[in-house]
């Protein structure tokens, strides 16, 4: 079952000598990977092996050129945007509506029409009805047929996500989770921003949903998982992890290619754990500090001319049969 709305008429439809983290990432490695802030990250999946690296400028330009061509039969291209925080007011970004508008314009200027756009949470800052209505109307400006969403914790303030589900949750299950298939890829959208005890949390009902959802899938099926909070221990001290995610990860181990895409941390970060690769996305609103830089993940004020370097969108491409998945992160600047 899926939950999405047409981006034009908004009609809902179904369809690792330093301490290591729990996944073996040292603090030095973590800081190095977190330094990929704002760069293009290329992910290649071949014969079940996931390889992630930074693209150089020539390759990035080449990717952009390829992206401007018509897609081959069976190819999939989609866009991830995240953390628009419509309603935020502060010196870190005095015009989040303007920067989200620029992100939408960038999507519309990619040179191809994405098969869909996924907003990976914190659509709003205070989850008011007016903010939900505003971001929904803005998303109708995306030149794509379908827009999917998952909620962030800022979308669930004071009402356990009811206003979010009323606006974006038609056709979803439980607290807003769902799955769908397209171009030979199985997508799972999870909600880990409710029942927070500092860390993200999925809960038994949602874990059971994943178990049932993937039970009949071949292990060769590429899997893409969306969530707001990371499904790996990026920096638990700040809540950048999900306390019961390992239960879902265990269910996904049998698949040869699994990609998990999240928001929440407002910066680029990638980690590979066997057959599973995790990518954190940047934001369209304001930067947060790198893990451990400062006492808390509070909005960072940067010189105005540098703000767009910290903001951006993500495009993902996959060609059915080739088993290649490319992730490209682009700045708004």
């Amino acid at each position: 079952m899926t939950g999405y709305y047409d981006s034009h008429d908004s009609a809902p439809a179904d369809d690792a000598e330093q301490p290591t983290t729990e996944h073996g990432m040292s603090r030095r490695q973590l800081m190095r990977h977190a330094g990929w802030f704002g760069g293009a990250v290329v992910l290649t999946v071949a014969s079940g092996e996931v390889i992630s690296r930074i693209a150089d400028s020539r390759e990035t330009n080449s990717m952009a050129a390829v992206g401007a061509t018509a897609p081959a039969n069976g190819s999939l291209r989609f866009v991830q945007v995240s953390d628009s925080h419509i309603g935020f007011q502060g010196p870190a970004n005095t015009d989040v509506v303007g920067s989200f508008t620029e992100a939408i314009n960038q999507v519309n200027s990619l040179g191809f029409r994405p098969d869909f756009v996924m907003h990976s949470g914190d659509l709003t800052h205070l989850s008011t009805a007016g903010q939900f209505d505003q971001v929904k109307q803005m998303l109708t400006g995306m030149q794509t047929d379908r827009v999917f969403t998952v909620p962030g914790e800022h979308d669930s303030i004071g009402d356990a996500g009811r206003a979010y589900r009323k606006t974006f949750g038609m056709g979803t299950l439980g607290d807003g989770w769902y799955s769908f298939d397209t171009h030979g890829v199985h997508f799972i959208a999870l909600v880990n921003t409710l029942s927070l005890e500092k860390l993200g949390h999925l809960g038994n009902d949602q874990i059971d949903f994943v178990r049932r959802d993937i039970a009949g899938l071949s292990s060769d099926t590429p899997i893409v998982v969306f969530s707001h909070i990371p499904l790996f221990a990026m920096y638990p001290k700040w809540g950048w992890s999900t306390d019961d995610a390992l239960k879902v990860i265990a269910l996904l181990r049998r698949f040869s290619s699994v990609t998990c895409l999240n928001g929440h941390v407002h910066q680029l970060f990638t980690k590979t754990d066997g057959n599973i690769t995790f990518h954190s996305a940047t934001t369209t609103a304001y930067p947060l500090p790198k893990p451990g830089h400062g006492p808390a993940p509070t909005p960072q004020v940067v010189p105005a001319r540098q703000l767009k370097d910290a903001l951006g969108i993500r495009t993902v491409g996959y060609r059915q049969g080739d088993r290649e998945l490319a992730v490209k992160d682009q700045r708004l600047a």
Side-chain angles (χ1 to χ4, degrees), residues 57-71 77 110-112 328 330:
S57 59
R58 289 186 300 174
E59 183 177 15
T60 300
N61 292 335
S62 175
M63 289 167 64
V66 170
T69 63
R77 289 187 292 195
L110 287 171
F112 63 90
K328 179 184 177 185
Q330 298 173 271

Side-chain angles (χ1 to χ4, degrees), residues 27 50 125 135 138 231 239 259 289 333:
R27 178 180 173 85
V50 183
H125 195 63
V135 71
M138 294 180 73
L231 295 176
T259 305

Side-chain angles (χ1 to χ4, degrees), residues 84-266:
S84 51
H85 285 273
I86 298 302
F88 172 81
Q89 296 181 343
N93 186 345
T94 59
D95 186 13
V96 293
V97 171
S99 57
F100 191 47
T101 298
E102 290 195 42
I104 293 172
N105 291 338
Q106 186 171 7
V107 172
N108 294 341
S109 301
L110 287 171
F112 63 90
R113 184 181 180 89
D115 292 282
F116 66 86
V117 174
M118 166 60 78
H119 192 306
S120 52
D122 281 354
L123 296 93
T124 70
H125 195 63
L126 296 173
S127 66
T128 67
Q131 291 170 8
F132 280 122
D133 181 68
Q134 184 173 14
V135 71
K136 182 175 181 178
Q137 292 303 314
M138 294 180 73
L139 286 170
T140 64
M142 295 279 194
Q143 294 181 8
T144 184
D145 293 331
R146 300 183 296 175
V147 176
F148 296 92
T149 66
V150 292
E153 76 280 6
H154 283 266
D155 300 318
S156 310
I157 296 175
D159 70 346
R162 285 187 293 273
Y164 164 83
R165 292 191 294 277
K166 181 178 179 180
T167 308
F168 294 102
M170 296 289 290
T172 64
L173 299 173
D175 291 321
W177 54 81
Y178 56 94
S179 68
F180 62 97
D181 297 272
T182 186
H183 294 74
V185 182
H186 186 69
F187 294 86
I188 306 172
L190 300 179
V191 178
N192 56 357
T193 55
L194 300 177
S195 304
L196 295 179
E197 294 285 342
K198 185 176 182 179
L199 300 179
H201 183 75
L202 295 166
N204 290 333
D205 288 347
Q206 192 166 195
I207 295 169
D208 287 342
F209 157 72
V210 174
R211 181 181 293 106
R212 295 190 302 270
D213 181 65
I214 65 176
L217 297 178
S218 165
S219 296
D220 292 331
T221 305
I223 306 290
V224 177
V225 182
F226 294 107
S227 67
H228 181 64
I229 299 175
L231 295 176
F232 66 101
M234 180 174 176
Y235 199 65
K237 183 178 180 179
W238 285 355
W240 292 1
S241 184
T242 300
D243 58 12
D244 53 355
L246 289 179
K247 295 179 181 179
V248 165
I249 298 304
L251 295 173
L252 299 174
R253 290 291 183 194
R254 72 178 179 88
F255 294 94
S256 59
S257 172
V258 180
T259 305
C260 299
L261 304 176
N262 67 268
H264 189 57
V265 303
H266 292 217

